Amino acid sequence: MQMDNFRNERDQYFKEIDNLNHPNETLVKTHCSYCAMQCGMNLRVNTKTNKIVGVEPRYDWPVTLGKMCPKGVTAYQQVNNKDRLLRPLIRDDQSLKGTKNGFREASWDEAYDLIVKKFTELQENYGKDSLSVYSGVSMTNEKCYLTGKFARVGLQTRYIDYNGRFCMASAAGGLNRSLGIDRGSTIPWTDVQDTDCIFLAGSNTAECHPTMMFRVWAIQERGGYVIVADPRETPVARRADLHLDLRPGTDLALANGIVNLLIENGHIDEEFIKNHTNGFEDTKELVKQFTPEYTSAITGVAPEKIIRAAEIYGKAPNAIVMFARGIEQQIKGVDNVSGYTNMALVTGKIGRAKSGVATITGQGNGQGGREHGQKADALPGYRKIANPDHVKYVSKVWGIEPEEMPKEGVSAFEMFGLMEQKTIRALYLLCSNPAVSAPDQNYVREQLKNLDFMVCVDFYLSESAEFADVVLPTTTWAEDAGTTTNVEGRIIKINQAQMPVGESKPDWKIQVELTERMGRGKYFSHLKTSEDIFNELRVASKGGTADYYGVTWEKIDKQDGVFWPCKDENDPGTPRLFLDKKFNHPDGRAKIFALPYRPSAEEPDEEYPLRLTTGRVVYHYLSGNQTRRIQFLRDMCPEPFVEVHPETAAKYNIDHEELVRLYTRRGETTYKVKITEAIRKDTVFVPYHWGHEKSINLLTIGALDPISRMPEFKACAAQIEKLKIKKVQ
């Protein structure tokens, strides 16, 4: 009650101050559009023009307490940006496919008529599954849910997947396998600063999720420890108590080595293992070979560092293991997640406050977007298409017969293979930019050109939209209402701050209108608002693993979000998982996995002696389609670069800021060199936020994890070459 009074008084104070400074403005309480921190913000709206003109932090939001990063501070500048698409575009010149040229503006009726005509012809000639949907998770739960229904009921195709396949799929696979449930965090973020040790694996936290860093530093200020496993000396690694500077792609060996030491040195919870887990004895036997020396030989991390990491984590009364794309974007990403989760399970540091495991989700709705039916094998509530009972339940909610439900599809990258084979002939793309974000870009772009017909729904003309036959203008996050599920598994509310610009429409409305024209409107016409869609989602998820049935928009506002599962109106939600030590496997036990180490798909050799790894910078987001259009962010980081260690640069006779050729077996491009001791001597790093000829994904490999089907963005063999041009002024 005291905290509620404090928040009300503080909100009133800032409102009064804001009114003094901005008398013609109102504040709309919402959240950021970018990463899964979903930082609280107030959008400033001019009451005369009804346009968003600025942003203020939300000090009342418990996750970030007013913190914002450079992207969040400028996020509002997406909305009324000069590059916004205002009307539908139709391509008249097919010879210019793959460029920004060859389009003309059209009415919605003309665009819809063309889409329906082409989709109908293709399905009549080649079957229902000739169409495909490729979606994303920077959308609300409502849009993600409806996109799955749109594909399976509206278009009646099995082929739908989403860009979370490049982001969160390995975390989902590992957590489901180990714990029986895929909620990104077993604890609320408010527990983080109170733990005694945080182990960050494959996370450039200070750049990718900077607004959580105050909690990380608070651990050290209390006398706790920060351990970082990363090939680069990132900002968080520089200040960490221990930096495990492993070779890209060797995380599983490191995890096995630490688990071996935890067992050997008696830092395990035998009672917890006996009563609440399976698989310990097999794992104990397998990890015996991962001595500090053996682990060091694989990872490149000094044995004494590995020993110290196990000691710190093992002795800590409470500890949290967190990981991100660095460990997940590998062909053994699922194994890596389970391997690091083993650390928590053998020590019993899970199922209580201040201890647990978490994946630091990349995309804004990376959690909710994978729960409600966009994945190739999934239905709402984390149900599975392979389960007849799950199909029966969701079919009833959707008003179709179970036999009408399409079968499982394939993963996002594998869809390009089906385009090459002409199994997939048309693509409906939304909220994603695979012409930048997918690996092996030369191959992917060729398949986009190979399509008979492509529709792209976006608010900018992205690199992927350049391959489209029709581009439909959608809205930004601030022009519609809905919910997202943040990094903790907390369902939160996005509020509309401005009406859509031009003739743009929300993604869900476009889908409803298209299905009406395709003769499938009876399954969608009752959905008039985002809240209508959310209420259907609640029913569709009821009884599933990701149960949202007890969540309402009103409860979200009242509670500062609701943690799923939330099963009925009296259920406040579940901030901490497994407090009863019952895991989500049928027997109630977690699984400790014995995981043999295997190398990356492509190891360095004489021809390609370097390891290439990729990642983010603080000023940009994903493919850069949004952030590269904002002047401040572009000024701060205008172009990509390649990080090279000084000794490696000397070996190749390369100077700082010199232009070099970087190449792999799949492609090549040129970058300026950034010489830094923050990178390993055997590794080079390039950020992935740029497209066209500057895309690092021209070089990355399409090798997939056998379970998650995630590409191995984080490790492949590369070579660097000095060019004759010395420096770019």
Side-chain angles (χ1 to χ4, degrees):
M1 183 63 71
Q2 287 179 334
M3 181 58 72
D4 289 341
N5 290 337
F6 169 74
R7 286 176 178 166
N8 291 336
E9 291 173 5
R10 183 173 57 189
D11 286 353
Q12 184 61 32
Y13 169 78
F14 282 111
K15 185 175 181 180
E16 290 172 1
I17 293 296
D18 191 75
N19 286 338
L20 288 174
N21 295 331
H22 309 289
N24 296 320
E25 293 179 11
T26 187
L27 297 180
V28 176
K29 185 181 292 189
T30 191
H31 297 270
C32 184
S33 62
Y34 292 122
C35 82
M37 291 299 295
Q38 291 291 275
C39 302
M41 61 168 57
N42 291 304
L43 290 174
R44 293 168 44 203
V45 181
N46 186 297
T47 54
K48 292 186 176 180
T49 63
N50 293 317
K51 298 291 185 183
I52 299 168
V53 295
V55 66
E56 299 288 349
R58 274 183 60 189
Y59 297 97
D60 65 324
W61 181 242
V63 183
T64 49
L65 299 177
K67 308 293 189 296
M68 296 180 72
C69 80
K71 296 185 293 294
V73 169
T74 55
Y76 75 94
Q77 294 178 23
Q78 301 171 65
V79 181
N80 297 302
N81 192 286
K82 63 180 178 60
D83 289 345
R84 282 293 301 275
L85 296 174
L86 304 179
R87 299 191 72 201
L89 302 176
I90 290 178
R91 179 178 294 284
D92 281 339
D93 191 338
Q94 292 296 316
S95 68
L96 296 174
K97 204 167 207 179
T99 75
K100 295 180 182 294
N101 303 315
F103 291 106
R104 62 172 173 82
E105 287 192 342
S107 68
W108 278 97
D109 283 338
E110 184 183 8
Y112 279 159
D113 287 346
L114 179 58
I115 294 168
V116 172
K117 177 177 180 290
K118 291 292 187 179
F119 280 4
T120 302
E121 288 176 353
L122 288 169
Q123 288 190 316
E124 287 177 349
N125 291 328
Y126 304 105
K128 299 293 186 185
D129 294 333
S130 60
L131 307 187
S132 65
V133 176
Y134 189 125
S135 187
V137 289
S138 291
M139 304 190 296
T140 61
N141 288 316
E142 291 79 0
K143 293 171 183 174
C144 293
Y145 163 80
L146 197 70
T147 298
K149 182 179 177 181
F150 170 73
R152 296 188 172 101
V153 179
L155 301 183
Q156 300 173 278
T157 180
R158 69 190 299 178
Y159 293 122
I160 174 173
D161 207 49
Y162 75 130
N163 64 10
R165 192 68 69 174
F166 298 163
C167 182
M168 302 306 306
S170 289
L175 292 173
N176 270 321
R177 188 170 66 167
S178 295
L179 307 178
I181 188 172
D182 166 32
R183 198 183 84 179
S185 179
T186 65
I187 55 168
W189 242 233
T190 48
D191 275 7
V192 171
Q193 71 275 7
D194 294 325
T195 195
D196 302 297
C197 171
I198 188 168
F199 189 109
L200 293 166
S203 170
N204 180 9
T205 320
E207 291 199 75
C208 299
H209 300 86
T211 57
M212 71 171 280
M213 288 310 302
F214 74 101
R215 299 190 188 278
V216 176
W217 302 143
I219 297 169
Q220 287 182 320
E221 290 163 5
R222 290 178 43 256
Y225 294 90
V226 176
I227 303 171
V228 173
D230 198 298
R232 302 167 66 219
E233 190 182 50
T234 60
V236 66
R238 277 198 297 275
R239 190 172 153 180
D241 297 283
L242 187 62
H243 176 208
L244 307 174
D245 51 339
L246 74 171
R247 295 185 180 104
T250 62
D251 289 273
L252 184 56
L254 179 62
N256 281 346
I258 292 174
V259 170
N260 177 49
L261 289 170
L262 291 172
I263 297 170
E264 191 175 275
N265 296 328
H267 296 310
I268 62 173
D269 187 332
E270 294 181 357
E271 194 70 17
F272 180 88
I273 291 169
K274 177 183 176 182
N275 295 326
H276 305 298
T277 71
N278 292 317
F280 174 74
E281 291 301 328
D282 288 343
T283 300
K284 178 181 177 180
E285 188 62 31
L286 181 136
V287 299
K288 282 181 180 178
Q289 67 178 304
F290 288 88
T291 63
E293 294 72 23
Y294 180 73
T295 304
S296 176
I298 296 173
T299 64
V301 180
E304 57 269 24
K305 285 187 175 183
I306 300 168
I307 293 168
R308 181 61 176 150
E311 180 184 28
I312 292 172
Y313 181 85
K315 289 183 176 180
N318 293 293
I320 300 169
V321 178
M322 289 188 171
F323 35 80
R325 309 305 79 72
I327 78 159
E328 297 163 15
Q329 290 177 329
Q330 300 178 29
I331 60 163
K332 49 188 175 294
V334 172
D335 283 356
N336 290 340
V337 170
S338 290
Y340 281 118
T341 302
N342 282 349
M343 291 169 56
L345 293 175
V346 300
T347 58
K349 291 172 183 172
I350 191 170
R352 65 177 195 247
K354 309 175 192 176
S355 291
V357 297
T359 177
I360 311 177
T361 309
Q363 296 194 64
N365 197 26
Q367 181 69 59
R370 66 181 185 266
E371 296 166 358
H372 297 299
Q374 290 194 111
K375 292 175 72 173
D377 62 344
L379 292 170
Y382 234 119
R383 290 181 166 91
K384 295 293 184 180
I385 292 178
N387 186 316
D389 291 335
H390 291 183
V391 170
K392 184 177 180 180
Y393 178 83
V394 175
S395 295
K396 184 176 181 180
V397 175
W398 285 351
I400 63 174
E401 295 300 320
E403 54 270 22
E404 294 180 79
M405 184 74 74
K407 304 300 182 185
E408 288 185 19
V410 299
S411 71
F413 189 71
E414 290 171 303
M415 287 171 66
F416 296 110
L418 296 183
M419 294 174 193
E420 181 180 29
Q421 298 168 19
K422 284 296 189 179
T423 300
I424 292 176
R425 290 177 172 266
L427 172 65
Y428 185 96
L429 175 71
L430 70 159
C431 191
S432 195
N433 193 11
V436 176
S437 62
D440 196 359
Q441 276 291 304
N442 286 318
Y443 173 75
V444 167
R445 294 174 191 178
E446 187 62 32
Q447 305 325 312
L448 293 176
K449 282 185 179 180
N450 194 42
L451 288 164
D452 292 6
F453 190 70
M454 176 176 165
V455 178
C456 181
V457 186
D458 207 326
F459 43 83
Y460 295 132
L461 191 68
S462 68
E463 288 84 355
S464 297
E466 295 173 8
F467 291 89
D469 298 283
V470 177
V471 181
L472 301 178
T474 189
T475 53
T476 64
W477 101 107
E479 296 164 293
D480 193 22
T483 64
T484 60
T485 306
N486 80 345
V487 65
E488 311 163 284
R490 184 194 305 242
I491 305 155
I492 61 176
K493 180 78 172 4
I494 305 295
N495 292 312
Q496 184 175 358
Q498 178 182 307
M499 294 299 291
V501 301
E503 296 180 16
S504 62
K505 299 180 181 184
D507 298 272
W508 65 265
K509 190 173 183 63
I510 295 170
Q511 291 171 10
V512 169
E513 291 178 349
L514 269 175
T515 56
E516 289 173 348
R517 289 171 177 257
M518 294 190 71
R520 307 291 289 175
K522 67 179 181 178
Y523 304 104
F524 296 85
S525 59
H526 60 287
L527 302 171
K528 306 294 186 184
T529 67
S530 291
E531 191 168 13
D532 289 343
I533 300 170
F534 185 75
N535 286 329
E536 184 175 292
L537 179 160
R538 291 171 57 213
V539 176
S541 74
K542 184 178 181 180
T545 302
D547 193 334
Y548 282 35
Y549 183 67
V551 185
T552 64
W553 282 15
E554 292 75 21
K555 185 184 284 189
I556 293 170
D557 288 337
K558 184 178 180 181
Q559 295 186 187
D560 280 338
V562 181
F563 289 82
W564 70 264
C566 180
K567 298 181 178 181
D568 58 54
E569 60 184 15
N570 297 317
D571 183 352
T574 315
R576 296 178 182 87
L577 296 176
F578 318 126
L579 294 180
D580 58 0
K581 303 300 185 290
K582 291 187 183 300
F583 295 87
N584 277 59
H585 290 299
D587 62 1
R589 291 171 172 262
K591 294 183 179 180
I592 300 172
F593 276 90
L595 302 163
Y597 177 76
R598 62 187 193 277
S600 296
E602 188 177 74
E603 289 285 296
D605 56 21
E606 186 175 344
E607 187 178 3
Y608 296 92
L610 298 171
R611 295 174 187 266
L612 168 64
T613 192
T614 67
R616 294 190 190 183
V617 296
V618 69
Y619 296 107
H620 290 292
Y621 178 68
L622 300 184
S623 73
N625 187 39
Q626 295 154 275
T627 52
R628 283 186 278 117
R629 300 173 195 274
I630 294 174
Q631 187 66 47
F632 168 75
L633 301 177
R634 192 165 63 247
D635 289 346
M636 291 297 99
C637 190
E639 61 183 356
F641 51 84
V642 55
E643 285 187 355
V644 181
H645 190 275
E647 291 187 24
T648 308
K651 178 181 177 181
Y652 287 89
N653 192 26
I654 293 169
D655 293 330
H656 184 63
E657 293 198 344
E658 182 173 353
L659 195 66
V660 297
R661 174 180 175 241
L662 183 66
Y663 60 100
T664 68
R665 291 178 173 86
R666 289 153 298 282
E668 64 178 76
T669 186
T670 57
Y671 296 115
K672 279 186 183 180
V673 170
K674 179 180 179 181
I675 295 179
T676 173
E677 292 182 347
I679 191 75
R680 290 178 54 90
K681 298 172 189 177
D682 57 5
T683 301
V684 293
F685 166 85
V686 180
Y688 58 68
H689 309 291
W690 286 265
H692 297 129
E693 73 282 356
K694 290 298 181 183
S695 174
I696 188 57
N697 283 323
L698 289 164
L699 280 63
T700 52
I701 190 169
L704 305 181
D705 182 292
I707 297 173
S708 69
R709 315 307 289 166
M710 176 179 278
E712 190 160 39
F713 292 102
K714 287 297 185 278
C716 69
Q719 179 62 297
I720 199 166
E721 181 179 84
K722 184 181 178 69
L723 297 179
K724 293 180 180 179
I725 302 172
K726 185 73 173 176
K727 281 192 177 183
V728 177
Q729 300 297 326

